[in-house]
Amino acid sequence: MTSQAPAGEPPSDPPPARNEPPSFDISRAHPARIYDYWLGGRDNYEADRVAAELAIQADPAIVPGVRANRAFLRRAVQYLAGEAGVRQFLDIGTGLPTADNTHEVAQAIAPESRIVYVDNDPIVLAHARALLDSTPQGATAYIQADVRDPAAIRREAARTLDFSQPVAVMLLMIMQYIPDADGPREVISGVAGAVPAGSYLALSTVTRDIVADRITEGAARLNKRMGAASISLRTREEIAGFFDGLDLVEPGLVHLPEWRAMSAPGNWMPAYAGVARKP
Ligand SMILES: C[S@@+](CC[C@H](N)C(=O)[O-])C[C@H]1O[C@@H](n2cnc3c(N)ncnc32)[C@H](O)[C@@H]1O
């Protein structure tokens, strides 16, 4: 676990290709770096940019879509830290640091908030410093781990989070990387099983229900260029199953841009989002 600045470049610097021995494969596209490119970041490589651009050509709504997902993250954390009074966050599949990371949104409302970030891509670890810039009253930590290993995540996160108190588990735009063969519902119940009653799950993921042809082609182009990671597009029913045993808060599982939107949603991102409470 990293709880202070690790070696590596700050997120606004170019990729650390020349100064650090890359412990990651830059010849293949990777989810965190593709996503970084779509968000206008600079922590990506040629293979990521090519894959990201090919997907945009198939589905030009991707860029406004990923921004809509970050806006969902903001609204969900504002709800959780504000209305729901949660003070602990476990953000799994964090991605590279960008604007309004979970700790910034939560600690702006409740400075004592404690946040643990988790990702399995070493490039996120290399840039984790920006995720560890906590308020003095709160705490932040970073764990390099796979969502499919909830026992390891809980063990490491317990150094920062009190698992006898509610925790908001954030699974934003990660579950599409967990294929059916890996039992995505079991993965979620493993993570949800680690947190007490009164905890929350915030989840967003892509669907094949909305603009199916474009998203299917975009995902196929990405899958061809990514290594082990590949995208599984799911139906609303399958995604609703991820919330089994939990109580969805209003407005339920909805088209992502519509979740507690302050104004009329501006795009048709093919994704659903929801927040649920563990009874
Ligand atoms: C599309 S980004 C989403 C970033 C952020 N959650 C958001 O919604 O803005 C997906 C992230 O999930 C991470 N990821 C993919 N599969 C994972 C796994 N099995 N375990 C942990 N992280 C994973 C990727 O490395 C990437 O950083």
Short mmCIF file of all heavy atoms in Angstrom, two decimals, residues 28-32 34 51 177 219 221-231:
data_model
loop_
_atom_site.label_atom_id
_atom_site.label_comp_id
_atom_site.label_asym_id
_atom_site.label_seq_id
_atom_site.Cartn_x
_atom_site.Cartn_y
_atom_site.Cartn_z
N ARG A 28 0.95 -2.23 -25.87
CA ARG A 28 -0.47 -2.54 -25.99
C ARG A 28 -1.27 -1.47 -25.27
O ARG A 28 -0.80 -0.89 -24.29
CB ARG A 28 -0.78 -3.91 -25.36
CG ARG A 28 -0.01 -5.03 -26.01
CD ARG A 28 -0.79 -6.31 -25.94
NE ARG A 28 -2.05 -6.23 -26.64
CZ ARG A 28 -2.41 -7.04 -27.62
NH1 ARG A 28 -1.59 -7.96 -28.04
NH2 ARG A 28 -3.60 -6.96 -28.16
N ALA A 29 -2.47 -1.25 -25.75
CA ALA A 29 -3.34 -0.26 -25.11
C ALA A 29 -3.82 -0.79 -23.76
O ALA A 29 -4.00 -2.00 -23.58
CB ALA A 29 -4.53 0.02 -26.01
N HIS A 30 -3.98 0.15 -22.80
CA HIS A 30 -4.45 -0.23 -21.46
C HIS A 30 -5.63 0.65 -21.06
O HIS A 30 -5.65 1.84 -21.37
CB HIS A 30 -3.33 -0.05 -20.43
CG HIS A 30 -2.42 -1.23 -20.35
ND1 HIS A 30 -2.34 -2.04 -19.23
CD2 HIS A 30 -1.58 -1.74 -21.26
CE1 HIS A 30 -1.48 -3.00 -19.47
NE2 HIS A 30 -1.00 -2.85 -20.69
N PRO A 31 -6.60 0.07 -20.31
CA PRO A 31 -7.81 0.81 -19.96
C PRO A 31 -7.53 2.16 -19.29
O PRO A 31 -8.12 3.17 -19.68
CB PRO A 31 -8.54 -0.13 -19.00
CG PRO A 31 -8.08 -1.49 -19.38
CD PRO A 31 -6.67 -1.34 -19.86
N ALA A 32 -6.64 2.20 -18.28
CA ALA A 32 -6.44 3.45 -17.53
C ALA A 32 -5.89 4.53 -18.45
O ALA A 32 -6.25 5.71 -18.34
CB ALA A 32 -5.49 3.21 -16.36
N ILE A 34 -6.06 4.67 -21.88
CA ILE A 34 -7.05 5.04 -22.90
C ILE A 34 -8.02 6.06 -22.30
O ILE A 34 -8.33 7.09 -22.89
CB ILE A 34 -7.82 3.80 -23.40
CG1 ILE A 34 -6.89 2.86 -24.15
CG2 ILE A 34 -9.00 4.20 -24.27
CD1 ILE A 34 -7.52 1.51 -24.47
N ALA A 51 -5.74 3.29 -30.10
CA ALA A 51 -6.96 2.55 -29.73
C ALA A 51 -8.08 3.52 -29.36
O ALA A 51 -9.24 3.35 -29.77
CB ALA A 51 -6.66 1.61 -28.57
N TYR A 177 -14.61 -4.57 -17.34
CA TYR A 177 -13.35 -5.30 -17.53
C TYR A 177 -13.37 -6.65 -16.82
O TYR A 177 -12.37 -7.36 -16.83
CB TYR A 177 -12.17 -4.45 -17.04
CG TYR A 177 -12.04 -3.18 -17.85
CD1 TYR A 177 -12.33 -1.94 -17.31
CD2 TYR A 177 -11.67 -3.23 -19.19
CE1 TYR A 177 -12.26 -0.79 -18.07
CE2 TYR A 177 -11.60 -2.09 -19.96
CZ TYR A 177 -11.89 -0.87 -19.38
OH TYR A 177 -11.82 0.26 -20.15
N ALA A 219 -16.19 -1.05 -28.70
CA ALA A 219 -15.63 -2.03 -27.77
C ALA A 219 -14.80 -3.07 -28.53
O ALA A 219 -13.72 -3.46 -28.08
CB ALA A 219 -16.74 -2.70 -26.98
N ARG A 221 -13.14 -2.64 -31.27
CA ARG A 221 -11.87 -2.02 -31.67
C ARG A 221 -10.91 -1.96 -30.48
O ARG A 221 -9.70 -2.19 -30.63
CB ARG A 221 -12.12 -0.61 -32.21
CG ARG A 221 -12.82 -0.63 -33.55
CD ARG A 221 -13.04 0.77 -34.07
NE ARG A 221 -13.74 0.73 -35.35
CZ ARG A 221 -13.76 1.73 -36.22
NH1 ARG A 221 -13.15 2.86 -35.94
NH2 ARG A 221 -14.41 1.62 -37.36
N LEU A 222 -11.44 -1.64 -29.30
CA LEU A 222 -10.57 -1.58 -28.11
C LEU A 222 -10.10 -2.98 -27.74
O LEU A 222 -8.92 -3.18 -27.43
CB LEU A 222 -11.35 -0.97 -26.93
CG LEU A 222 -11.68 0.52 -27.05
CD1 LEU A 222 -12.56 0.96 -25.90
CD2 LEU A 222 -10.40 1.36 -27.07
N ASN A 223 -11.00 -3.94 -27.77
CA ASN A 223 -10.64 -5.31 -27.36
C ASN A 223 -9.51 -5.87 -28.22
O ASN A 223 -8.67 -6.63 -27.75
CB ASN A 223 -11.86 -6.22 -27.41
CG ASN A 223 -12.82 -5.92 -26.27
OD1 ASN A 223 -12.48 -5.20 -25.33
ND2 ASN A 223 -14.03 -6.45 -26.36
N LYS A 224 -9.48 -5.47 -29.49
CA LYS A 224 -8.43 -5.94 -30.39
C LYS A 224 -7.06 -5.41 -29.98
O LYS A 224 -6.05 -6.04 -30.23
CB LYS A 224 -8.74 -5.43 -31.81
CG LYS A 224 -8.77 -6.52 -32.85
CD LYS A 224 -8.90 -5.90 -34.22
CE LYS A 224 -10.16 -6.41 -34.89
NZ LYS A 224 -10.43 -5.71 -36.14
N ARG A 225 -7.07 -4.25 -29.35
CA ARG A 225 -5.78 -3.59 -29.07
C ARG A 225 -5.35 -3.65 -27.62
O ARG A 225 -4.24 -3.26 -27.29
CB ARG A 225 -5.85 -2.13 -29.52
CG ARG A 225 -5.69 -2.04 -31.00
CD ARG A 225 -6.06 -0.74 -31.60
NE ARG A 225 -5.89 -0.85 -33.04
CZ ARG A 225 -6.76 -1.43 -33.85
NH1 ARG A 225 -7.88 -1.94 -33.36
NH2 ARG A 225 -6.53 -1.54 -35.14
N MET A 226 -6.22 -4.11 -26.73
CA MET A 226 -5.83 -4.19 -25.32
C MET A 226 -5.28 -5.59 -25.06
O MET A 226 -5.65 -6.56 -25.73
CB MET A 226 -7.02 -3.91 -24.41
CG MET A 226 -7.47 -2.45 -24.49
SD MET A 226 -8.65 -1.97 -23.22
CE MET A 226 -10.06 -3.00 -23.59
N GLY A 227 -4.41 -5.72 -24.07
CA GLY A 227 -3.83 -7.02 -23.74
C GLY A 227 -4.86 -7.92 -23.09
O GLY A 227 -5.82 -8.35 -23.72
N ALA A 228 -4.66 -8.17 -21.80
CA ALA A 228 -5.56 -9.09 -21.09
C ALA A 228 -6.95 -8.48 -20.90
O ALA A 228 -7.95 -9.20 -20.91
CB ALA A 228 -4.95 -9.41 -19.73
N ALA A 229 -7.00 -7.15 -20.75
CA ALA A 229 -8.29 -6.53 -20.47
C ALA A 229 -9.16 -6.55 -21.72
O ALA A 229 -8.68 -6.31 -22.82
CB ALA A 229 -8.08 -5.08 -20.03
N SER A 230 -10.42 -6.86 -21.54
CA SER A 230 -11.33 -6.68 -22.67
C SER A 230 -12.69 -6.27 -22.11
O SER A 230 -12.99 -6.52 -20.94
CB SER A 230 -11.41 -7.91 -23.55
OG SER A 230 -12.26 -8.84 -22.97
N ILE A 231 -13.48 -5.63 -22.96
CA ILE A 231 -14.71 -5.01 -22.48
C ILE A 231 -15.91 -5.94 -22.68
O ILE A 231 -16.11 -6.48 -23.77
CB ILE A 231 -14.95 -3.69 -23.23
CG1 ILE A 231 -13.84 -2.70 -22.86
CG2 ILE A 231 -16.33 -3.11 -22.94
CD1 ILE A 231 -13.87 -1.43 -23.65
#
